[in-house]
């Protein structure tokens, strides 16, 4: 083998993570004409097609009998991923037993640098055909759809296929795509593909030029909407976001700028000026100052440190994060902050923009591909030194990272529930270690894992034990719904006590939040004659009734069905809607309190564009008295006017066959209780439950985190669950039950053999998974417990190898290391 420069030069071998569902890197030969570096994107042959991959490391040999193929070309002149991100990706692939190509695919911006544009070109035969048609004596032939189409193409040159189709659609009533297919088949038209650079579109930061004048000039509706949106979201807003909200275009902004009402900033201008607006505007409390001091000292050490910041709700954690990031920037280093769901907390985003202006790049799944791509590149080019994002922002291409913050670190949305099944928080800790950075995990209700890590000295524990302004935590009262039933003999969602409290709120003009962690109208449709419930055809769960759509919907796969007028199994018409969801509760509250302004917030509402933010804004501006919602309302919001929180059914999650059921219930109740009393008046919380003595409910009512932690830890230790043991969830799945069973049999035999040599391994199962069927796949479950993650990981990787040897395709075995949900 020819060897020039070690590993990188022509004629040598490199490993490439091919962006496909392939478990391991593949080895390729670097042709003489090329020089490649780790982190660079390359095109490689894969089977009969051309694939993209990331160059990993040089290797000196390949397995005997393996025919090495040559790299076809490089995509970018420079490596796209830093050594730090390469290492992070490789760690993830190994730790989560995920295909290495899938991990890197998740890391990269989705869009490629160039886009393929397809053109339709009239061929000579097409031109001939057009002449023939035009010389026809029959008008219907001369003016027919084919003739129009060919004439259109003859007139247009250089228009893309998409635009051409649009053009034809306007000219001809016949379905354009059909015409094209026909013309291509006849050889009249050829399709050519070209790669084109994607132009970088400019992004402006917009802010008001000053306070709006008392007698504003006459404005168009669009202009008014722009100013309103800016006022709501400001002080500084990305122009694209503004235009989306106001349904306008850039010319509207330019006009307002010319009129002196707003400023458009193109570059860093705002980061120089805007930060002063809000910075230091609040003075930190002594508790905040002390925590910030500790964190700043750790930051200055330029070494890896992990801190768990356990700060109760409204203790002012966000203010600390902002200042810590500002210090980090002062040192010339970059900062990353992860939040559970950004679109759900617009206020954090505007705080970041106010503090750091155009140095911020926002990365989350709600962005369009183009927006994501731009944000990614701004971070990669070093223009954005602060990234605010959700889970996948853990891969943000920031160089010289100083601090990584994971806000609400307990939140389950940090876990990706599809391949690669990584945990964003754990990835953030690994990333910080690689970057020699400080990582801060913050929460009012830390996960058991993180608190255990703090207790055992792996993380440093910092606490904020008081609310800002000396406010007390809300007083929580438990309403025993069994008692309520005994006394009233009816089962109603709102107890007499809660009703009375809501009335008092409405009288005094204070605001109320009502939590019911179940969306839709009713839980399911039950036949009173035969007991049949209407189930999803793909999943083993009941369909939920949604009244707005008047449909039965599966909350797992989205399958929808019409509402039947009679039972499908016995024909009875006695169908009964059982249980209530937020949609029904909203209707019920409107009926109970006709004078109140009631709104609802759940995932169904959040899907409607603009609706979500509008409700949040209206609630903040007290245009809404009562907000009903799912756990979405518990997340991080700061509404000073809320003094009452009602929890309609605290038991919702407790019945789940999941070892985290109690932890989730405790977190949800504590977080939602934390929404009350954040303003000047103290808050109260009413928790309705059928299990008033359950420890998760009792300790949440006492807001006793330590108490919950100790009690829950005892249970986890006894049952060998995390954090006291390493856990993995294995699911054999197939569209036929026999397929899944066959795979499960293979896994079972393998695990039996392994158990003989690994006495620490405990295997539960095989058994039907709690959700025995999802999206048409049957699921058979094994839970693996081991004393260490390393040994468990080793077993999982051997299992994956074994499955590969046996020809079991990867989708048939789901491996979930450190599962968050085991349903
Ligand atoms: P957490 O993230 O801990 O729930 P926040 O950071 O949202 O708390 O702070 C709660 C509220 O208190 C916010 O409205 C915030 O602006 C305000 N706040 C935070 N720190 C201070 C301070 N030192 N002085 C006055 N108000 C503060
Ligand atoms: Zn029936
Ligand atoms: Zn379904």
């Amino acid at each position: 083998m020819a060897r020039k420069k070690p590993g990188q030069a022509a004629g040598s071998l490199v490993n490439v993570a091919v962006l496909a569902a392939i478990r391991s890197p593949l080895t390729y030969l670097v042709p003489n004409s090329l020089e490649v570096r780790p982190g660079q994107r390359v095109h490689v042959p894969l089977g009969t097609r051309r694939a993209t991959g990331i160059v990993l490391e040089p290797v000196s040999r390949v397995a005997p009998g393996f025919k090495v193929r040559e790299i076809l070309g490089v995509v970018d002149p420079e490596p796209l991923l830093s050594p730090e991100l390469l290492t992070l990706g490789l760690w993830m692939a190994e730790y989560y037993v995920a295909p290495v190509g899938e991990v890197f695919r998740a890391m990269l911006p989705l869009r490629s640098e160039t886009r393929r544009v397809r053109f339709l070109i009239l061929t000579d035969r097409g031109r001939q055909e057009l002449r023939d048609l035009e010389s026809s004596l029959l008008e219907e032939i001369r003016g027919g759809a084919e003739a129009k189409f060919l004439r259109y193409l003859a007139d247009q040159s250089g228009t893309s296929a998409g635009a051409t189709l649009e053009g034809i659609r306007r000219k001809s009533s016949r379905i354009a795509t059909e015409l094209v297919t026909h013309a291509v088949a006849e050889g009249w038209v050829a399709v050519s593909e070209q790669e084109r650079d994607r132009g970088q579109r400019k992004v402006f930061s917009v802010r008001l030029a000053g306070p709006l004048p008392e007698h504003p000039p006459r404005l168009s509706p669009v202009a008014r909407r722009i100013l309103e949106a800016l006022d709501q979201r400001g002080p500084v807003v990305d122009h694209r976001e503004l235009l989306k909200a106001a349904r306008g275009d850039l010319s509207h902004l330019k006009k307002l700028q010319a009129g002196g009402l707003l400023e458009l900033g193109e570059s860093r201008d705002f980061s120089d000026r805007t930060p002063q607006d809000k910075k230091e505007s609040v003075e930190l409390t002594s508790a905040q100052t002390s925590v910030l001091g500790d964190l700043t000292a750790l930051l200055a050490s330029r070494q890896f440190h992990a801190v768990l910041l356990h700060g109760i709700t409204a203790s002012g954690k966000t203010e600390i994060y902002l200042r810590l990031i500002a210090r980090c920037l002062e040192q010339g280093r970059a900062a990353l902050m992860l939040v559970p769901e950004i679109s759900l907390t617009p206020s954090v985003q505007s705080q970041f923009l106010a503090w750091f202006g155009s140095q911020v790049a926002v990365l989350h799944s709600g962005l369009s591909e183009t927006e994501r791509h731009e944000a990614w590149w701004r971070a990669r080019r070093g223009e954005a030194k602060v990234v605010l994002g959700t889970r996948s922002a853990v891969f943000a291409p920031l160089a010289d990272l100083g601090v990584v913050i994971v806000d609400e670190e307990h939140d389950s949305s940090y876990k990706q529930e599809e391949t690669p099944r990584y945990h964003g928080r754990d990835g953030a800790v690994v990333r910080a270690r690689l970057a020699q950075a400080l990582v801060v995990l913050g929460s009012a209700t830390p996960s058991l894992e993180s608190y255990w890590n703090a207790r055992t000295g792996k993380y440093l524990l910092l606490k904020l034990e008081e609310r800002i302004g000396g406010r007390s935590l809300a007083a929580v009262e438990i309403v025993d719904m069994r008692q309520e039933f005994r006394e009233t003999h009816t089962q109603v969602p709102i107890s007499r006590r809660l009703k009375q409290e809501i009335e008092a709120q409405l009288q005094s003009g204070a605001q109320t939040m009502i939590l019911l962690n179940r969306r839709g109208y009713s839980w399911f449709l039950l036949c009173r004659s035969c007991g049949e419930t209407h189930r999803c055809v793909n999943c083993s769960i009941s369909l939920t009734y949604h009244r707005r759509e008047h449909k039965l919907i599966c909350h797992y796969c989205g399958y929808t069905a019409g509402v039947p007028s009679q039972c499908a199994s016995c024909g009875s018409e006695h169908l009964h809607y059982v249980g209530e969801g937020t949609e029904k509760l909203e209707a019920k509250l409107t009926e109970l309190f006709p004078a109140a302004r009631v709104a609802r917030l759940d995932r169904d509402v959040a899907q409607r564009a603009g609706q979500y933010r509008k409700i949040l804004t209206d609630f903040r501006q007290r245009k809404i008295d009562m907000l009903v919602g799912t756990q979405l309302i518990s997340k991080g919001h700061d509404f000073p006017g809320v003094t009452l929180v009602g929890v309609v059914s605290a038991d919702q999650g407790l019945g789940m066959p999941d070892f985290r059921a109690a932890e989730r219930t405790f977190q949800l109740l504590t977080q939602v209780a934390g929404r009350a009393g954040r303003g000047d008046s103290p808050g109260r919380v009413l928790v309705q439950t059928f299990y008033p003595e359950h420890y998760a409910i009792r300790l949440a009512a006492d807001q006793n985190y330590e108490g919950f932690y100790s009690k829950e830890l005892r249970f986890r230790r006894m049952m060998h669950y995390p954090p006291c043991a390493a856990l993995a969830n294995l699911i054999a799945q197939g569209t036929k039950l026999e397929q899944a069973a066959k795979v499960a049999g293979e896994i079972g035999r393998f695990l039996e053999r392994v158990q003989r040599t690994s006495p620490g391994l405990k295997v539960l199962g095989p058994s039907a998974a709690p959700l025995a069927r999802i999206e048409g796949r049957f699921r058979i479950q094994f839970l693996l417990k081991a004393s260490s993650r390393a040994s468990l990981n080793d077993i999982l990787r051997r299992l994956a190898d074994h499955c590969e040897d046996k020809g079991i395709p990867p989708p048939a075995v789901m491996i979930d290391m450190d599962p968050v949900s085991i349903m």
Side-chain angles (χ1 to χ4, degrees):
M1 184 185 340
R3 267 196 141 175
K4 294 174 209 159
K5 264 192 280 171
Q8 294 171 16
S12 58
L13 298 167
V14 289
N15 270 350
V16 174
V18 181
L19 305 185
I22 302 174
R23 264 191 76 212
S24 314
L26 301 178
T27 304
Y28 286 91
L29 189 67
V30 182
N32 284 319
S33 54
L34 288 180
E35 206 174 300
V36 300
R37 284 184 282 162
Q40 208 167 17
R41 259 186 312 184
V42 288
H43 288 309
V44 292
L46 180 70
T48 54
R49 67 187 177 97
R50 187 175 89 143
T52 306
I54 299 281
V55 177
L56 299 175
E57 71 282 305
V59 285
S60 51
R61 70 179 95 196
V62 286
F66 182 85
K67 198 176 153 286
V68 215
R69 300 170 78 181
E70 277 193 356
I71 289 177
L72 301 172
V74 296
V75 181
D76 333 82
E78 287 291 305
L80 196 63
L81 297 178
S82 62
E84 181 183 310
L85 285 174
L86 283 182
T87 313
L88 180 66
L90 292 172
W91 172 82
M92 275 197 178
E94 195 169 299
Y95 185 79
Y96 293 104
V97 199
V100 70
E102 301 260 29
V103 174
F104 284 105
R105 188 149 59 186
M107 258 194 189
L108 295 172
L110 298 166
R111 212 181 65 161
S112 64
E113 262 41 62
T114 53
R115 69 198 162 108
R116 290 192 173 209
V117 185
R118 290 167 63 209
F119 294 92
L120 300 179
I121 299 160
L122 201 59
T123 59
D124 287 344
R125 261 172 78 185
R127 250 179 273 282
Q128 183 57 48
E129 178 69 19
L130 180 59
R131 276 194 295 273
D132 291 351
L133 288 170
E134 303 216 297
S135 59
S136 167
L137 296 173
L138 290 173
E139 177 54 34
E140 72 231 52
I141 291 180
R142 283 211 309 267
E146 264 110 24
K148 276 187 191 160
F149 170 54
L150 296 177
R151 207 172 295 129
Y152 183 85
L153 273 187
D155 294 344
Q156 310 287 322
S157 54
T159 316
S160 71
T164 307
L165 280 177
E166 268 310 301
I168 305 164
R169 225 168 252 137
R170 263 179 264 126
K171 289 212 169 276
S172 161
S173 57
R174 215 167 117 189
I175 302 166
T177 41
E178 208 174 89
L179 269 175
V180 175
T181 319
H182 175 64
V184 171
E186 293 285 337
W188 301 336
V189 166
V191 181
S192 114
E193 274 195 9
Q194 278 183 27
E195 300 221 330
R196 285 203 172 169
D197 271 357
R198 290 181 194 264
Q200 291 283 336
R201 261 190 290 142
K202 253 189 201 150
V203 182
F204 299 99
S205 320
V206 189
R207 67 173 196 172
L208 288 172
L212 286 177
E214 244 176 67
H215 304 289
R218 277 188 49 203
L219 294 169
S220 69
V222 179
R224 218 171 314 130
R225 284 201 298 270
I226 289 176
L227 293 178
E228 247 165 49
L230 190 55
D231 193 38
Q232 278 174 18
R233 290 153 199 227
V236 183
V237 183
D238 183 319
H239 91 269
R240 295 162 305 184
E241 185 193 330
L242 205 56
L243 293 181
K244 219 189 254 172
R247 302 188 296 282
D249 59 46
L250 201 54
S251 69
H252 295 114
L253 288 180
K254 293 255 155 105
K255 234 189 212 155
L256 284 167
Q257 183 190 27
L261 286 170
L262 53 77
E263 291 178 19
L264 288 184
E266 211 180 277
S267 53
R268 276 112 274 187
D269 336 334
F270 286 169
S271 59
D272 307 333
R273 291 189 278 141
T274 321
Q276 277 87 41
D277 298 357
K278 269 207 176 167
K279 237 177 189 170
E280 318 305 334
S281 71
V282 302
E283 206 170 304
L284 292 190
T285 62
S286 61
Q288 284 173 313
T289 308
S290 147
V291 166
L292 181 62
D294 290 350
L295 294 176
T296 311
L298 294 173
L299 179 69
S301 78
R302 292 183 177 255
Q303 278 180 352
F304 169 68
H305 292 282
V307 174
L308 175 63
L309 175 56
H310 179 205
I312 63 169
T313 52
S315 57
K317 296 184 286 295
T318 314
E319 289 292 333
I320 298 178
Y321 300 150
L322 291 165
R323 283 169 172 77
L324 184 63
I325 292 170
R327 307 244 155 119
C328 178
L329 294 178
E330 278 161 29
Q331 294 180 9
R333 292 196 288 166
L336 170 64
M337 176 148 138
L338 302 185
V339 290
E341 271 166 287
I342 231 163
S343 49
L344 305 182
T345 44
S347 63
V348 176
Q349 200 172 332
S350 58
Q351 270 175 304
F352 266 66
L353 283 169
W355 272 69
F356 310 114
S358 60
Q359 291 190 77
V360 180
V362 178
L363 276 171
H364 61 88
S365 55
L367 300 175
S368 71
E369 249 180 67
T370 311
E371 289 167 327
R372 249 179 83 83
H373 181 85
E374 267 170 18
W376 196 92
W377 273 102
R378 281 179 55 231
R380 175 68 180 78
R381 290 193 297 261
E383 291 164 21
K385 295 215 136 219
V386 182
V387 167
L388 172 67
T390 46
R391 179 178 65 225
S392 63
V394 72
F395 303 124
L398 290 165
D400 199 8
L401 204 50
V403 66
V404 183
I405 296 165
V406 184
D407 190 23
E408 310 288 1
E409 68 86 28
H410 65 278
D411 199 289
S412 56
S413 66
Y414 283 123
K415 181 66 162 47
Q416 173 141 310
E417 297 292 4
E418 59 191 60
T419 315
R421 300 182 159 262
Y422 67 97
H423 200 299
R425 174 198 60 215
D426 299 343
V429 174
V430 172
R431 172 119 199 232
R433 178 178 298 129
L434 295 172
Q436 290 294 306
L438 166 66
V439 59
V440 183
L441 313 180
S443 175
T445 50
S447 61
L448 269 259
E449 279 85 350
S450 294
Y451 209 71
W452 159 276
N453 281 333
R455 279 289 186 80
T456 54
K458 233 176 124 182
Y459 300 163
L460 177 69
L461 181 62
L462 295 179
K463 292 192 179 200
L464 286 170
E465 297 178 295
E466 264 157 40
R467 278 188 152 185
I468 294 295
R471 277 164 209 139
S472 49
L473 278 171
V476 182
E477 179 185 327
I478 292 181
V479 179
D480 184 348
M481 292 304 274
R482 294 170 308 190
Q483 185 71 19
E484 183 78 9
F485 183 71
R486 267 182 245 123
E487 288 169 17
T488 61
H489 299 289
T490 50
Q491 198 132 334
V492 288
I494 306 284
S495 63
R496 292 162 301 169
R497 183 84 186 90
L498 182 54
K499 183 159 179 267
Q500 182 190 353
E501 288 288 322
I502 294 174
E503 267 158 10
Q505 290 290 104
L506 292 172
Q507 296 263 311
S508 69
Q511 288 179 296
T512 304
M513 274 177 149
I514 306 277
L515 173 82
L516 174 59
N517 204 14
R518 183 129 190 179
R519 64 192 170 93
Y521 193 80
S522 295
W523 299 358
F524 54 87
L525 197 54
L526 174 79
C527 170
R528 281 198 163 145
S529 299
C530 73
E532 181 78 8
T533 61
H534 285 74
R535 288 172 167 266
C536 176
V537 295
N538 306 316
C539 313
S540 53
I541 62 163
S542 308
L543 295 170
T544 303
Y545 175 53
H546 287 247
R547 195 167 69 171
R548 194 181 126 93
E549 289 93 346
H550 192 60
K551 286 254 159 65
L552 297 172
I553 301 178
C554 171
H555 284 185
Y556 272 85
C557 73
Y559 169 81
T560 61
V563 179
S565 55
Q566 42 180 237
C567 173
S569 93
C570 77
S572 157
E573 286 171 9
H574 296 284
L575 297 179
H576 180 54
Y577 293 100
V578 179
E580 47 278 308
T582 43
E583 204 185 350
K584 187 164 171 183
L585 190 63
E586 181 193 15
K588 205 145 220 153
L589 288 165
T590 311
E591 184 191 304
L592 275 175
F593 308 102
R597 294 164 300 176
V598 182
R600 169 166 61 96
L601 210 54
D602 54 29
R603 214 156 281 283
D604 296 322
V605 176
Q607 267 165 12
R608 271 172 270 147
Q611 188 73 0
Y612 186 85
R613 277 166 184 253
K614 177 161 170 28
I615 290 176
L616 289 183
T617 312
D618 286 354
F619 194 52
R620 181 180 304 281
Q621 295 174 351
R622 302 194 174 212
K623 292 181 191 159
I624 294 169
D625 300 309
M626 205 181 324
L627 187 61
V628 182
T630 54
Q631 40 98 21
L632 283 195
I633 64 169
S634 75
K635 289 192 175 181
H637 304 295
D638 191 32
F639 299 115
V642 175
T643 53
L644 176 67
V645 169
V647 179
V648 167
S649 169
D651 314 328
Q652 210 91 68
L654 281 179
M656 299 274 183
D658 189 326
F659 72 100
R660 287 185 206 271
E663 183 181 6
R664 278 210 198 96
T665 301
F666 177 84
Q667 285 165 346
L668 178 60
L669 293 181
T670 311
Q671 291 287 348
V672 75
R675 299 312 116 207
R678 294 171 79 95
D680 295 327
S681 317
R684 277 158 314 131
V685 182
L686 284 187
V687 175
Q688 300 187 155
T689 172
F690 284 95
Y691 306 100
E693 56 289 305
H694 193 287
Y695 68 99
I697 290 175
R698 228 183 47 235
L699 292 165
D702 294 344
Q703 314 231 3
N704 181 353
Y705 179 82
E706 298 276 342
F708 175 77
Y709 172 79
S710 319
K711 175 115 188 141
E712 182 68 10
L713 196 67
R714 239 174 290 150
F715 158 72
R716 303 276 178 100
R717 185 170 286 135
M718 200 165 70
M719 303 300 291
H720 298 281
Y721 275 119
C724 308
L727 181 73
N729 187 14
L730 274 183
I731 296 206
Q733 49 191 11
T735 46
K736 295 213 179 73
L737 185 57
E738 306 85 79
Q739 281 171 357
K742 209 169 144 226
V743 174
E746 196 55 56
I747 294 175
R749 281 189 293 280
F750 173 83
L751 290 175
E752 248 167 51
R753 280 198 301 279
V754 172
Q755 262 183 311
R756 271 180 237 136
T757 51
S758 323
L761 177 69
K762 288 191 177 57
V763 179
L764 306 181
S767 56
L771 287 166
R773 199 161 158 253
I774 294 184
E775 296 182 358
R777 278 166 292 127
F778 289 89
R779 307 165 80 239
I780 299 173
Q781 181 178 50
F782 296 84
L783 282 176
L784 272 54
K785 296 171 179 177
S787 47
S788 83
R789 286 166 157 198
S791 65
L792 184 55
N793 183 253
D794 178 56
I795 292 164
L796 292 176
R797 268 185 289 147
R798 275 157 54 202
L799 173 74
D801 290 342
H802 178 75
C803 289
E804 208 168 2
D805 291 347
K806 291 278 169 185
I808 298 172
V813 190
M814 185 208 83
I815 298 178
D816 195 3
M817 178 72 187
D818 300 338
V820 162
S821 161
I822 55 167
M823 300 284 287

